[in-house]
Amino acid sequence: MADAPDMMQVNNVSKAFGEDWEREMVIENLSLKIRRNQLTAIVGPSGCGKSTVVNLLAGFEKPDSGQILLDGRPVTGPSKDTLVVFQETALMPWLTTYQNVTFGPKLRGDIPRDQLKEAADSIIETVGLKEFRDKYPLQLSGGMQRRAELARALINQPLVMIMDEPFRGLDAMTRQLMQEFYMRLCEQEARTNVFVTSELEEAIILADSLVVLSNRPATVREVVQIDLPRPRNLEMLSSSQAYEYKRHAMEMLHEEALKSFKGVGSSSDFLESYSRRP
Amino acid sequence: MSNQGVSGHAPTGFQYFLYKTWKSLKTPMPYLAFAGIGLWLLTYFLLNEYWKIFPFFKIPGPVEVITEWLSRDPIWGTSLFTEDYYINIWVSCRRVIIGFALATVLGVPLGLFMGWSKKFKDYTFPVLETLRPIPILAWVPLAIVMFSGFETPIIYLATLASFFVTALNTMLGVESIDESYFRAAGCLGSKKRHVFINVVVPGSLPFIFTGLQISIGVAWFSLVAAEMISGDYGLGYMIMASYMVNKYTTMVMAMLTLGLVGWITSAMVRAAGNRMMRWRAKALGQGGV
Ligand SMILES: Nc1ncnc2c1ncn2[C@@H]1O[C@H](COP(=O)(O)OP(=O)(O)OP(=O)(O)O)[C@@H](O)[C@H]1O
Ligand SMILES: [Mg+2]
């Protein structure tokens, strides 16, 4: 795995937002490698610029400086090779599950019609939505919507699948089921994934490598290789190895989170006591 | 969505209409509607024909109007059984339909492009915003100068009024589409024209149909105003003409007819909208009118 060149390279990327007189650095000198056929999880304090990283990787935004390479070539704009599963569901509400899943291939015309139907039906079955094939997104539950969106992404066979907190907002039960489902999916077929989340446990159990971002302006604080054995399951979270990863990452995250409250006085007392919690 | 889990075939066309009507009879809606109308008629009757309270007794009462309306031999010459009643309805309807159709055909594409292309909006929006606030009555003289006869100026005015509403609502509709749909379409590999057909158009439909419902009302409004000022036939003309010769009963009859016909046309627009946006109507669990 290590001999193949990295799927994506982020080299010294910076990005600022705002008018000239109040320009605010969101990303500063961020460098990062996305390994082929691995799941790279990105965690960071809330609001640190995770979605901005996603937008840069996907080509929705251009970096102010620095360079992003996909398979050796610079990313110029959105394409199906850097496919994003969004933080909020972005299924087209006017299309049924099936129509949503076939949306991309149909427009690009890169899968022949008869094959497309087969491929779509099989992927819809994989995500367990066979009976909801002809329903509209608003008729699906939150978890089903996420799975439909996964199916819509998977059928395009992107070089990199980028997920921006895909399970945020799901209830704990559904979230666990989705994590298990996604774990299976990643283990069945080699894929390159970028998985952004604010849930540390979720990141650890899914990831091959865990990127911890610093507070804003975001840069890479540390990359932790997660060597939990595969195939994985959620129980592994209680292993001492996972606990060690968690403790280590948590320490960094708390340190980073505290930075947003520096000099605020009373609230930093509160946060310090919060960070001392086990 | 009554038969959950059972994948029975969905009714279509007239069957669907019957199904919806049958279902609505099980809700309080039709009964409340009738009760509302009944209460209104009763109040009207009491004020006007029973207690004869000022200023209500000056206008014809409900019994008088309805009797005249249903009379085979109307005192004032117009009822459900005379030909001119239907000619007036038909003439007005035809004008509204032509005006509304023209306004839709012109206004929807214009609004779509304005919402979609910043550049196009920069060109067109200032003009639209300057012309739009001019009340339709202020256009009447211009319409008469520009076009000869009765038909063209009246249709022109109806078209103009509903065109502005349609164009503006459509534009707002495009602007209301969440950025994430564009991004999703972008990374699924859509070219610009694909995005237009597959995101811009369906995404703005809810606003477009809200606009169309308002716009058909505006079309009626300006049509009647125009017919009252210069007309040969039509419900607006009928109101004005009967007023001129003191046929108040016929006048009220024309007003009520106008109300009913207007209601039917906007219900038709609404039904068309619900039909085109099943994804939405279904989710809301409601079926039109
Ligand atoms: N288009 C933009 N214009 C201006 N500021 C922006 C823009 N996009 C993001 N920002 C700013 O960048 C910062 C990081 O935002 P971002 O959404 O990337 O954070 P996040 O880590 O994804 O947050 P969350 O955990 O809430 O999802 C925020 O302070 C936000 O205000
Ligand atoms: Mg985010």
Side-chain angles (χ1 to χ4, degrees), chain A residues 51 87 164-165:
Chain A
S51 295
Q87 191 166 327
D164 187 2
E165 304 201 40

Side-chain angles (χ1 to χ4, degrees), chain B residues 9-63:
Chain B
H9 37 244
T12 49
F14 188 62
Q15 255 184 326
Y16 181 76
F17 172 77
L18 284 182
Y19 168 78
K20 280 291 176 190
T21 314
W22 172 243
K23 280 215 91 168
S24 76
L25 286 178
K26 290 184 193 160
T27 66
M29 194 277 276
Y31 309 104
L32 290 177
F34 276 113
I37 292 171
L39 202 66
W40 170 68
L41 279 178
L42 181 69
T43 316
Y44 180 12
F45 170 77
L46 290 176
L47 291 173
N48 183 286
E49 289 178 336
Y50 193 73
W51 292 320
K52 298 191 194 312
I53 292 170
F54 177 85
F56 298 103
F57 67 78
K58 294 194 159 190
I59 58 170
V63 176

